[in-house]
Amino acid sequence: IAITTTSKPTTKNLTTMPSSPTTLAAVAAGCTLLAYGASRLTKKATSSTDLALTDLDDEIFSEEDCISADDVVAIFDKLFLTMQNVVVQLSQQVQQIQMSGQMIPEAQLRQLLKAEFERALVACQAQVFEENDVDADCLEEATWEFMEEEEKYPKVKRAVERFQKLYESISGEEVVGWTPNKGKTPTAGAKKELSAEELIKAATLYFETLTEKMVEIAKEYKAAGKDLKDPKVSQQYQMEASSDANDVAEEKLKSEMDIVMSDFRAAVDKHSRVPAVGQTLGMLQIKQQQELMAAGVPMM
């Protein structure tokens, strides 16, 4: 899928990046939108200079002027698809830099990747908001209001959390489930530190489960007569797989090894340069690509 709404991250910006391509590739396989305290829910905010306070009671907004749940879903889906491709580009650049033998601490890698991701997101969301005729602060308010009624608007919850997970994979920050009123969903239990050997076992379980579910979804698409080579179908598949497959893999990791994703990511960061870990993650990535290609899933 071509990236049409973001400026492509440049190799120049990443020339100091380290030699751990499997870290990004592994974690990314698996929100920066903050509340501005806006009080309006209309698509394009009315300027205070255009409307006197005495006229506010007379101002009537039609349903078409308001941001709907479907609008929020469409916007977050577009942001997700575009930024997912940015993640792929960043991963490829890290791999190229790794081949040059450059080394840098993992924490600094996270900082650089997060900065590149957010830089691309700023450019992306400006265009997406314009295309959908929405004002940023109005979208913020509408999104969080829908998220407060997640049982009533499950598609909004799914779209927002899918994007939050993508951001988590780059930043390492726990943001899934965050809302202005609730804050971050608390993680049960203390942090669990994994040894390199435990990480290898966990990574194998996670990615084999992830790949298995992605292949299963691809087969379901084919059985329904959907062509994965069709760009629109491919986008739909990417979003469904990103949510369903990751959820299944995370649940498997939790149920069989009592490991949550934040601990898994921390272990990847900590042990990524252990030869056995790097080799395992690399092999799992290659195996996943081969199985998905065999299932007819086009590579991004």
Side-chain angles (χ1 to χ4, degrees), residues 21 122-123:
V122 168

Side-chain angles (χ1 to χ4, degrees), residues 80 83 100-101 109 123 163-164 181 196 208 219 238 248-249 252 295:
F80 171 81
M83 296 310 297
S100 72
L109 169 63
F163 186 80
Q164 288 178 324
N181 292 334
E208 286 183 350
K219 289 180 178 178
Q238 285 182 44
V248 170
K252 190 89 165 181

Side-chain angles (χ1 to χ4, degrees), residues 84-147:
Q84 187 180 51
N85 278 277
V86 171
V87 170
V88 171
Q89 288 186 350
L90 291 173
S91 177
Q92 292 170 345
Q93 291 183 35
V94 171
Q95 289 178 356
Q96 292 172 359
I97 292 167
Q98 185 269 345
M99 294 176 65
S100 72
Q102 295 187 52
M103 301 288 290
I104 199 169
E106 199 70 31
Q108 192 170 351
L109 169 63
R110 281 285 188 194
Q111 275 189 326
L112 291 167
L113 292 177
K114 180 183 174 183
E116 283 295 303
F117 183 94
E118 292 182 345
R119 181 189 65 79
L121 178 59
V122 168
C124 169
Q125 67 183 18
Q127 184 165 342
V128 172
F129 292 170
E130 183 65 27
E131 289 173 353
N132 288 271
D133 192 30
V134 299
D135 185 85
D137 56 357
C138 298
L139 175 65
E140 299 288 346
E141 183 72 9
T143 298
W144 301 134
E145 288 213 2
F146 291 132
M147 288 290 283

